[in-house]
Amino acid sequence: MTNHQSPVRLALPSKGALERSTSSLLSACGMSVFRPSDRQYFGSIPSLPQINVLFQRAADIFTKVEEGSVDLGITGYDVVCEEGVGHDNVVVIHDRLGYGKCELVLAVPESWVDVSSIEDLAELTLLFKEKGKNLRIATKYPNLTRDWLYEKLIVNFSLVSVQGAMEAAPSMGYADMIADVTSTGTTLRENRLKRITGGTLLKSQACLIGNKRLLQDDPTKLDTTKTILELIEANLNAKKYVSITANVRGKSADEVGNYLVNHSELSGLTGLRGPTIAKVYSKEDKDWYAVTIVVEQNMLLAAVNHLRKAGGSDMTITSPDYVFGSQSQNYQVFLERLKEDS
């Protein structure tokens, strides 16, 4: 009897920085994407043949997932929050894939010297109201902008839909200010715009989303989703750690281990659970042991010095490709979300 797995349709960004970073992440996770050419809209993941890849504009991927044309998709969290208003059939499976980072911010002309905070902006809207005008805000994120400003009790404004270069709106005269995404702030400065204090509406990066109904109704699709999530989570976790192996002289493995554990000035210097110690077989000297510890990246030098104090030498450092926990935390959270909505 053959084991039939339902094909999982995965939508990925078709071009730009998000496409390149998505491809790099999946490749690092052992899920390299095959795309015959840049003009092809279909691809595959050879290591996971049950997945059919569809390439789409990042802005359209949410819609494809929501309508059920695909089961899973990778896009910006900002897109999900903006388009997700009133659409409950999309679940965020992993919201921090580590790239595509940006912020949705309010920006005003640099010439507005008296406006540097959200409080200043609130006062400005009242001045506009006294003159019988609305503050015009150009944005591609009307839902997020409107809801956020309402929460701040700022109501005297109108939103201007812009499809082209957002930053030009104030200088062109069809808006007073903008609400747009920025990663470095360079484009804002080049267009003589400035962010205001307290004016960050949303922090975003690439995320993995799925269609609730399609995943709930098909256990094999859930199983494939778990595979994808496990590999991504373990790869992202691995970036936090380094593995150190050192040769340490000692009378016994217990002596070396006890010294490392009992003379540790900081927690975490002896590894995730503790050092792994093995006998080094040498013709010249029998009192050497190989010690391996896995520590967080920011503790590398401290751990090296700790091993030196224990008599360590010949240290080599490697970076793990994956660090798996006892279970996938993200997958457990995802299952709980599905149960809540079922």
Short mmCIF file of all heavy atoms in Angstrom, two decimals, residues 99-148:
data_model
loop_
_atom_site.label_atom_id
_atom_site.label_comp_id
_atom_site.label_asym_id
_atom_site.label_seq_id
_atom_site.Cartn_x
_atom_site.Cartn_y
_atom_site.Cartn_z
N TYR A 99 14.76 38.03 8.26
CA TYR A 99 15.17 38.90 7.16
C TYR A 99 13.96 39.73 6.69
O TYR A 99 12.85 39.54 7.17
CB TYR A 99 15.74 38.09 6.00
CG TYR A 99 14.76 37.10 5.40
CD1 TYR A 99 13.96 37.45 4.31
CD2 TYR A 99 14.64 35.81 5.90
CE1 TYR A 99 13.06 36.56 3.76
CE2 TYR A 99 13.74 34.91 5.36
CZ TYR A 99 12.96 35.29 4.29
OH TYR A 99 12.06 34.40 3.75
N GLY A 100 14.21 40.65 5.77
CA GLY A 100 13.13 41.54 5.33
C GLY A 100 12.66 42.47 6.42
O GLY A 100 11.51 42.89 6.45
N LYS A 101 13.58 42.82 7.33
CA LYS A 101 13.19 43.64 8.48
C LYS A 101 12.94 45.09 8.06
O LYS A 101 13.71 45.68 7.32
CB LYS A 101 14.28 43.59 9.55
CG LYS A 101 14.45 42.21 10.17
CD LYS A 101 15.54 42.21 11.23
CE LYS A 101 15.72 40.82 11.83
NZ LYS A 101 16.78 40.80 12.86
N CYS A 102 11.84 45.64 8.56
CA CYS A 102 11.50 47.03 8.29
C CYS A 102 10.51 47.50 9.35
O CYS A 102 10.03 46.69 10.16
CB CYS A 102 10.91 47.20 6.89
SG CYS A 102 9.36 46.28 6.62
N GLU A 103 10.22 48.78 9.34
CA GLU A 103 9.25 49.36 10.27
C GLU A 103 8.28 50.24 9.51
O GLU A 103 8.69 50.96 8.58
CB GLU A 103 9.96 50.18 11.34
CG GLU A 103 10.85 49.37 12.26
CD GLU A 103 11.53 50.22 13.31
OE1 GLU A 103 11.46 51.47 13.21
OE2 GLU A 103 12.13 49.65 14.23
N LEU A 104 7.03 50.17 9.88
CA LEU A 104 6.03 51.09 9.33
C LEU A 104 6.00 52.31 10.24
O LEU A 104 5.71 52.19 11.44
CB LEU A 104 4.65 50.43 9.30
CG LEU A 104 3.48 51.30 8.81
CD1 LEU A 104 3.71 51.82 7.41
CD2 LEU A 104 2.17 50.52 8.90
N VAL A 105 6.35 53.47 9.68
CA VAL A 105 6.53 54.67 10.51
C VAL A 105 5.78 55.86 9.92
O VAL A 105 5.45 55.90 8.73
CB VAL A 105 8.03 55.03 10.63
CG1 VAL A 105 8.81 53.87 11.21
CG2 VAL A 105 8.62 55.45 9.28
N LEU A 106 5.55 56.83 10.78
CA LEU A 106 5.04 58.13 10.35
C LEU A 106 6.23 59.04 10.10
O LEU A 106 7.16 59.09 10.90
CB LEU A 106 4.14 58.74 11.43
CG LEU A 106 2.85 57.99 11.76
CD1 LEU A 106 2.14 58.67 12.93
CD2 LEU A 106 1.92 57.95 10.55
N ALA A 107 6.21 59.76 8.98
CA ALA A 107 7.30 60.68 8.64
C ALA A 107 6.72 62.00 8.15
O ALA A 107 5.75 62.03 7.39
CB ALA A 107 8.20 60.07 7.58
N VAL A 108 7.31 63.08 8.61
CA VAL A 108 6.85 64.42 8.26
C VAL A 108 8.01 65.18 7.60
O VAL A 108 9.17 64.79 7.71
CB VAL A 108 6.36 65.19 9.50
CG1 VAL A 108 5.24 64.42 10.20
CG2 VAL A 108 7.52 65.43 10.47
N PRO A 109 7.71 66.28 6.89
CA PRO A 109 8.78 67.07 6.28
C PRO A 109 9.76 67.59 7.34
O PRO A 109 9.36 67.95 8.45
CB PRO A 109 8.03 68.22 5.61
CG PRO A 109 6.66 67.67 5.33
CD PRO A 109 6.37 66.77 6.49
N GLU A 110 11.04 67.61 6.99
CA GLU A 110 12.05 68.13 7.91
C GLU A 110 11.79 69.59 8.29
O GLU A 110 12.20 70.05 9.36
CB GLU A 110 13.45 68.00 7.29
CG GLU A 110 13.93 66.56 7.18
CD GLU A 110 15.30 66.48 6.53
OE1 GLU A 110 15.76 67.51 5.97
OE2 GLU A 110 15.91 65.40 6.56
N SER A 111 11.10 70.30 7.42
CA SER A 111 10.81 71.72 7.67
C SER A 111 9.82 71.91 8.81
O SER A 111 9.67 73.03 9.33
CB SER A 111 10.26 72.38 6.40
OG SER A 111 9.09 71.72 5.94
N TRP A 112 9.14 70.85 9.23
CA TRP A 112 8.21 70.94 10.37
C TRP A 112 9.03 70.86 11.66
O TRP A 112 9.04 69.85 12.36
CB TRP A 112 7.19 69.81 10.32
CG TRP A 112 6.19 69.91 9.19
CD1 TRP A 112 6.25 70.73 8.11
CD2 TRP A 112 4.99 69.14 9.06
NE1 TRP A 112 5.17 70.53 7.29
CE2 TRP A 112 4.38 69.56 7.85
CE3 TRP A 112 4.39 68.15 9.80
CZ2 TRP A 112 3.17 69.01 7.39
CZ3 TRP A 112 3.19 67.59 9.36
CH2 TRP A 112 2.59 68.03 8.16
N VAL A 113 9.71 71.92 11.99
CA VAL A 113 10.62 71.92 13.14
C VAL A 113 9.88 71.76 14.47
O VAL A 113 10.47 71.33 15.46
CB VAL A 113 11.48 73.20 13.16
CG1 VAL A 113 12.42 73.21 11.96
CG2 VAL A 113 10.60 74.45 13.18
N ASP A 114 8.61 72.11 14.50
CA ASP A 114 7.85 72.03 15.75
C ASP A 114 7.15 70.68 15.92
O ASP A 114 6.45 70.46 16.91
CB ASP A 114 6.80 73.15 15.81
CG ASP A 114 7.43 74.53 15.90
OD1 ASP A 114 8.53 74.62 16.47
OD2 ASP A 114 6.83 75.50 15.39
N VAL A 115 7.33 69.78 14.96
CA VAL A 115 6.70 68.47 15.03
C VAL A 115 7.79 67.39 15.09
O VAL A 115 8.45 67.11 14.09
CB VAL A 115 5.78 68.21 13.82
CG1 VAL A 115 5.14 66.82 13.92
CG2 VAL A 115 4.71 69.28 13.71
N SER A 116 7.99 66.85 16.29
CA SER A 116 9.02 65.83 16.45
C SER A 116 8.52 64.60 17.21
O SER A 116 9.26 63.66 17.40
CB SER A 116 10.23 66.41 17.19
OG SER A 116 9.84 66.90 18.47
N SER A 117 7.25 64.62 17.63
CA SER A 117 6.71 63.49 18.39
C SER A 117 5.25 63.28 18.02
O SER A 117 4.63 64.13 17.37
CB SER A 117 6.82 63.74 19.90
OG SER A 117 5.96 64.81 20.28
N ILE A 118 4.71 62.15 18.46
CA ILE A 118 3.30 61.86 18.18
C ILE A 118 2.40 62.85 18.90
O ILE A 118 1.32 63.19 18.41
CB ILE A 118 2.96 60.40 18.57
CG1 ILE A 118 1.58 60.00 18.06
CG2 ILE A 118 3.10 60.18 20.05
CD1 ILE A 118 1.46 59.97 16.57
N GLU A 119 2.86 63.36 20.04
CA GLU A 119 2.07 64.37 20.76
C GLU A 119 2.00 65.67 19.95
O GLU A 119 0.94 66.31 19.87
CB GLU A 119 2.69 64.64 22.13
CG GLU A 119 2.57 63.48 23.12
CD GLU A 119 3.59 62.38 22.88
OE1 GLU A 119 4.57 62.63 22.13
OE2 GLU A 119 3.41 61.28 23.44
N ASP A 120 3.13 66.04 19.34
CA ASP A 120 3.14 67.23 18.48
C ASP A 120 2.20 67.05 17.30
O ASP A 120 1.50 67.99 16.90
CB ASP A 120 4.56 67.50 17.96
CG ASP A 120 5.53 67.84 19.06
OD1 ASP A 120 5.09 68.33 20.13
OD2 ASP A 120 6.74 67.62 18.88
N LEU A 121 2.18 65.84 16.76
CA LEU A 121 1.31 65.57 15.61
C LEU A 121 -0.15 65.68 16.00
O LEU A 121 -0.98 66.21 15.25
CB LEU A 121 1.61 64.18 15.05
CG LEU A 121 0.88 63.83 13.75
CD1 LEU A 121 1.38 64.70 12.60
CD2 LEU A 121 1.05 62.34 13.41
N ALA A 122 -0.50 65.19 17.19
CA ALA A 122 -1.88 65.28 17.66
C ALA A 122 -2.31 66.74 17.78
O ALA A 122 -3.43 67.10 17.39
CB ALA A 122 -2.01 64.57 19.01
N GLU A 123 -1.41 67.58 18.29
CA GLU A 123 -1.73 69.01 18.39
C GLU A 123 -1.88 69.63 17.01
O GLU A 123 -2.74 70.50 16.79
CB GLU A 123 -0.62 69.73 19.17
CG GLU A 123 -0.56 69.35 20.65
CD GLU A 123 0.53 70.10 21.38
OE1 GLU A 123 1.12 71.03 20.78
OE2 GLU A 123 0.82 69.76 22.54
N LEU A 124 -1.07 69.19 16.06
CA LEU A 124 -1.14 69.73 14.71
C LEU A 124 -2.48 69.42 14.05
O LEU A 124 -3.04 70.26 13.34
CB LEU A 124 0.01 69.17 13.86
CG LEU A 124 0.12 69.74 12.44
CD1 LEU A 124 0.45 71.23 12.48
CD2 LEU A 124 1.18 68.97 11.64
N THR A 125 -2.99 68.21 14.29
CA THR A 125 -4.28 67.86 13.69
C THR A 125 -5.39 68.75 14.22
O THR A 125 -6.34 69.07 13.49
CB THR A 125 -4.64 66.39 13.96
OG1 THR A 125 -4.74 66.16 15.37
CG2 THR A 125 -3.61 65.45 13.36
N LEU A 126 -5.27 69.19 15.47
CA LEU A 126 -6.27 70.10 16.04
C LEU A 126 -6.18 71.47 15.38
O LEU A 126 -7.20 72.13 15.13
CB LEU A 126 -6.08 70.21 17.55
CG LEU A 126 -6.31 68.92 18.35
CD1 LEU A 126 -6.04 69.16 19.83
CD2 LEU A 126 -7.73 68.41 18.14
N LEU A 127 -4.95 71.91 15.10
CA LEU A 127 -4.78 73.19 14.39
C LEU A 127 -5.37 73.11 13.00
O LEU A 127 -6.01 74.08 12.52
CB LEU A 127 -3.29 73.55 14.32
CG LEU A 127 -2.59 73.89 15.63
CD1 LEU A 127 -1.10 74.13 15.41
CD2 LEU A 127 -3.24 75.14 16.26
N PHE A 128 -5.18 71.98 12.32
CA PHE A 128 -5.78 71.79 11.00
C PHE A 128 -7.30 71.84 11.11
O PHE A 128 -7.98 72.44 10.26
CB PHE A 128 -5.34 70.43 10.41
CG PHE A 128 -4.08 70.49 9.60
CD1 PHE A 128 -2.87 70.83 10.19
CD2 PHE A 128 -4.09 70.20 8.25
CE1 PHE A 128 -1.69 70.88 9.46
CE2 PHE A 128 -2.93 70.26 7.50
CZ PHE A 128 -1.73 70.60 8.11
N LYS A 129 -7.83 71.22 12.16
CA LYS A 129 -9.28 71.18 12.32
C LYS A 129 -9.85 72.59 12.52
O LYS A 129 -10.91 72.94 11.98
CB LYS A 129 -9.65 70.29 13.50
CG LYS A 129 -11.15 70.11 13.69
CD LYS A 129 -11.44 69.16 14.83
CE LYS A 129 -12.94 68.95 15.00
NZ LYS A 129 -13.25 68.02 16.13
N GLU A 130 -9.13 73.41 13.29
CA GLU A 130 -9.58 74.79 13.52
C GLU A 130 -9.65 75.59 12.22
O GLU A 130 -10.46 76.51 12.08
CB GLU A 130 -8.63 75.47 14.51
CG GLU A 130 -8.74 74.94 15.93
CD GLU A 130 -7.71 75.57 16.86
OE1 GLU A 130 -6.95 76.46 16.38
OE2 GLU A 130 -7.64 75.17 18.03
N LYS A 131 -8.80 75.20 11.28
CA LYS A 131 -8.79 75.88 9.98
C LYS A 131 -9.72 75.21 8.97
O LYS A 131 -9.75 75.58 7.80
CB LYS A 131 -7.36 75.89 9.42
CG LYS A 131 -6.38 76.69 10.28
CD LYS A 131 -4.98 76.63 9.68
CE LYS A 131 -3.99 77.43 10.53
NZ LYS A 131 -2.61 77.37 9.98
N GLY A 132 -10.46 74.20 9.45
CA GLY A 132 -11.40 73.51 8.57
C GLY A 132 -10.75 72.54 7.60
O GLY A 132 -11.32 72.23 6.55
N LYS A 133 -9.56 72.02 7.97
CA LYS A 133 -8.85 71.11 7.07
C LYS A 133 -8.51 69.81 7.80
O LYS A 133 -8.50 69.75 9.03
CB LYS A 133 -7.55 71.76 6.57
CG LYS A 133 -7.77 73.02 5.74
CD LYS A 133 -6.49 73.45 5.04
CE LYS A 133 -5.41 73.82 6.04
NZ LYS A 133 -4.18 74.32 5.35
N ASN A 134 -8.24 68.79 7.01
CA ASN A 134 -7.76 67.51 7.53
C ASN A 134 -6.28 67.35 7.22
O ASN A 134 -5.80 67.81 6.17
CB ASN A 134 -8.52 66.33 6.89
CG ASN A 134 -9.85 66.08 7.56
OD1 ASN A 134 -10.06 66.47 8.71
ND2 ASN A 134 -10.75 65.41 6.85
N LEU A 135 -5.55 66.71 8.12
CA LEU A 135 -4.16 66.36 7.84
C LEU A 135 -4.17 65.21 6.85
O LEU A 135 -4.78 64.17 7.08
CB LEU A 135 -3.46 65.93 9.14
CG LEU A 135 -1.98 65.61 9.02
CD1 LEU A 135 -1.18 66.89 8.79
CD2 LEU A 135 -1.49 64.91 10.29
N ARG A 136 -3.50 65.39 5.70
CA ARG A 136 -3.49 64.38 4.65
C ARG A 136 -2.26 63.47 4.80
O ARG A 136 -1.14 63.96 4.79
CB ARG A 136 -3.49 65.03 3.26
CG ARG A 136 -4.72 65.91 2.99
CD ARG A 136 -4.48 66.75 1.75
NE ARG A 136 -3.29 67.60 1.91
CZ ARG A 136 -2.66 68.19 0.89
NH1 ARG A 136 -3.09 68.03 -0.35
NH2 ARG A 136 -1.60 68.94 1.12
N ILE A 137 -2.51 62.17 4.92
CA ILE A 137 -1.44 61.19 5.10
C ILE A 137 -1.43 60.23 3.93
O ILE A 137 -2.40 59.51 3.69
CB ILE A 137 -1.61 60.41 6.42
CG1 ILE A 137 -1.75 61.38 7.60
CG2 ILE A 137 -0.45 59.45 6.63
CD1 ILE A 137 -2.07 60.70 8.92
N ALA A 138 -0.34 60.21 3.19
CA ALA A 138 -0.19 59.28 2.07
C ALA A 138 0.32 57.94 2.58
O ALA A 138 1.27 57.89 3.36
CB ALA A 138 0.77 59.85 1.04
N THR A 139 -0.31 56.85 2.15
CA THR A 139 0.11 55.53 2.64
C THR A 139 -0.41 54.42 1.76
O THR A 139 -1.44 54.58 1.07
CB THR A 139 -0.36 55.30 4.09
OG1 THR A 139 0.20 54.09 4.58
CG2 THR A 139 -1.88 55.25 4.16
N LYS A 140 0.29 53.30 1.77
CA LYS A 140 -0.18 52.06 1.15
C LYS A 140 -0.74 51.12 2.23
O LYS A 140 -1.09 49.98 1.93
CB LYS A 140 0.97 51.37 0.41
CG LYS A 140 1.52 52.18 -0.75
CD LYS A 140 2.71 51.46 -1.39
CE LYS A 140 3.33 52.32 -2.50
NZ LYS A 140 4.54 51.67 -3.09
N TYR A 141 -0.80 51.62 3.45
CA TYR A 141 -1.26 50.82 4.59
C TYR A 141 -2.42 51.53 5.28
O TYR A 141 -2.31 51.91 6.45
CB TYR A 141 -0.12 50.60 5.57
CG TYR A 141 1.05 49.84 4.99
CD1 TYR A 141 2.07 50.50 4.30
CD2 TYR A 141 1.14 48.46 5.12
CE1 TYR A 141 3.14 49.82 3.76
CE2 TYR A 141 2.21 47.76 4.59
CZ TYR A 141 3.21 48.44 3.91
OH TYR A 141 4.27 47.76 3.37
N PRO A 142 -3.55 51.70 4.60
CA PRO A 142 -4.66 52.46 5.19
C PRO A 142 -5.25 51.82 6.45
O PRO A 142 -5.58 52.53 7.41
CB PRO A 142 -5.69 52.52 4.06
CG PRO A 142 -5.35 51.37 3.16
CD PRO A 142 -3.87 51.25 3.23
N ASN A 143 -5.37 50.50 6.48
CA ASN A 143 -5.97 49.84 7.64
C ASN A 143 -5.11 50.00 8.88
O ASN A 143 -5.60 50.38 9.95
CB ASN A 143 -6.20 48.35 7.34
CG ASN A 143 -7.26 48.12 6.28
OD1 ASN A 143 -8.25 48.84 6.22
ND2 ASN A 143 -7.03 47.14 5.43
N LEU A 144 -3.83 49.70 8.74
CA LEU A 144 -2.92 49.82 9.88
C LEU A 144 -2.81 51.26 10.35
O LEU A 144 -2.82 51.54 11.56
CB LEU A 144 -1.53 49.29 9.50
CG LEU A 144 -1.37 47.77 9.42
CD1 LEU A 144 -0.02 47.41 8.81
CD2 LEU A 144 -1.50 47.15 10.80
N THR A 145 -2.70 52.18 9.41
CA THR A 145 -2.53 53.59 9.76
C THR A 145 -3.77 54.14 10.46
O THR A 145 -3.67 54.78 11.52
CB THR A 145 -2.24 54.43 8.50
OG1 THR A 145 -1.08 53.90 7.84
CG2 THR A 145 -1.99 55.88 8.86
N ARG A 146 -4.92 53.86 9.89
CA ARG A 146 -6.18 54.35 10.47
C ARG A 146 -6.39 53.81 11.88
O ARG A 146 -6.65 54.57 12.83
CB ARG A 146 -7.35 53.95 9.58
CG ARG A 146 -8.71 54.49 10.07
CD ARG A 146 -9.85 53.91 9.26
NE ARG A 146 -9.67 54.13 7.83
CZ ARG A 146 -9.36 53.18 6.95
NH1 ARG A 146 -9.18 51.93 7.38
NH2 ARG A 146 -9.23 53.44 5.68
N ASP A 147 -6.26 52.50 12.05
CA ASP A 147 -6.51 51.88 13.35
C ASP A 147 -5.52 52.37 14.40
O ASP A 147 -5.89 52.61 15.55
CB ASP A 147 -6.44 50.35 13.24
CG ASP A 147 -7.58 49.78 12.40
OD1 ASP A 147 -8.54 50.52 12.14
OD2 ASP A 147 -7.48 48.61 11.99
N TRP A 148 -4.25 52.50 14.01
CA TRP A 148 -3.23 52.93 14.96
C TRP A 148 -3.48 54.36 15.42
O TRP A 148 -3.38 54.67 16.62
CB TRP A 148 -1.85 52.81 14.32
CG TRP A 148 -0.70 52.99 15.27
CD1 TRP A 148 -0.11 52.04 16.03
CD2 TRP A 148 -0.01 54.22 15.57
NE1 TRP A 148 0.92 52.57 16.78
CE2 TRP A 148 1.00 53.91 16.52
CE3 TRP A 148 -0.13 55.53 15.13
CZ2 TRP A 148 1.87 54.88 17.03
CZ3 TRP A 148 0.73 56.49 15.63
CH2 TRP A 148 1.72 56.18 16.57
#
